[in-house]
Amino acid sequence: MPTSPDSDDPGGGAHPPVPPPVLELAEACVRYVERALGVSLDYSPDTLSLLDHYTRSASADLAQRPEARRLVASAVAAYFGEVIRRRYEAWWHAPDAADPEGWQLRFDRIYLAIAPFAFAAAALDPDEAAGEGGLVLDEAERDDVAERLALLPPVDPDEYRLPTTRYDVLEIVVDHLRARAEARGLGDVSLGDADYDDA
């Protein structure tokens, strides 16, 4: 049985708890994957390869059932976001609990937010743009991050859509932004919703 997605809060409780709709959708994703693959997800980064496999197979199924696409994308987004939240100092910003497309995962020590629904939608639908629409960066950091990512080897767009690839790219972005913050003496700065909302 998977551990509770509300546990292992690396932020030490400094930010709001995980909204119940996120928890419900993340657990729905666990059930979907277990039903499809016979394996239970445990909210660790290692399970993202299973999520890759699931999104590939679900993509074909959803072509026949487009009415289910938003629900499945929301569940995948919640699980993917929870994997990230449990790894990094981050919190969910979900002003409208009924609108997963507007949810963000906001980082504490660096100015970075992600919109997991954008990544999930791209993983499930080959017609969705696979760009960086899910990343929110400080304008002053955008070009520098783009230069860092341009150093990576080219990736096939179908591979780039997958949760494992997105997670790998996110790790690089986080490490890069942390290093820049440390170099400027800002490594101990803690952000909150007001920092993001006022930007």
Side-chain angles (χ1 to χ4, degrees):
M1 176 157 174
T3 57
S4 167
D6 201 25
S7 63
D8 298 334
D9 177 10
H15 295 290
V18 180
V22 172
L23 297 176
E24 291 164 12
L25 284 166
E27 283 297 300
C29 185
V30 171
R31 291 191 303 275
Y32 297 164
V33 172
E34 188 164 20
R35 195 163 42 236
L37 305 179
V39 181
S40 183
L41 302 178
D42 66 3
Y43 295 92
S44 69
D46 292 341
T47 61
L48 292 177
S49 60
L50 296 169
L51 197 61
D52 288 351
H53 185 69
Y54 173 73
T55 56
R56 283 179 163 147
S57 61
S59 179
D61 293 341
L62 291 172
Q64 307 303 317
R65 298 183 309 122
E67 71 282 359
R69 186 177 306 278
R70 187 172 190 274
L71 175 61
V72 175
S74 298
V76 169
Y79 182 83
F80 181 64
E82 273 299 286
V83 170
I84 294 165
R85 184 191 68 83
R86 291 166 59 95
R87 168 72 173 85
Y88 294 107
E89 291 180 286
W91 73 96
W92 284 98
H93 176 71
D96 183 349
D99 181 22
E101 293 178 52
W103 296 351
Q104 286 185 335
L105 200 61
R106 295 176 168 184
F107 286 67
D108 189 347
R109 302 290 178 178
I110 53 174
Y111 188 92
L112 173 66
I114 67 165
F117 187 92
F119 294 147
L124 289 164
D125 185 352
D127 294 329
E128 284 283 329
E132 292 304 338
L135 284 180
V136 177
L137 297 161
D138 187 308
E139 195 63 41
E141 304 279 11
R142 192 173 300 277
D143 289 343
D144 190 66
V145 168
E147 286 177 19
R148 173 63 185 92
L149 294 179
L151 298 175
L152 300 174
V155 177
D156 180 272
D158 289 338
E159 290 293 315
Y160 187 65
R161 296 173 184 280
L162 298 175
T164 51
T165 308
R166 297 296 189 144
Y167 185 84
D168 291 345
V169 169
L170 181 68
E171 282 191 312
I172 292 167
V173 171
V174 169
D175 289 346
H176 184 71
L177 291 175
R178 280 181 171 169
R180 284 176 59 85
E182 291 286 346
R184 294 194 306 256
L186 302 173
D188 293 331
V189 171
S190 184
L191 303 175
D193 278 325
D195 298 294
Y196 286 90
D197 295 337
D198 293 342

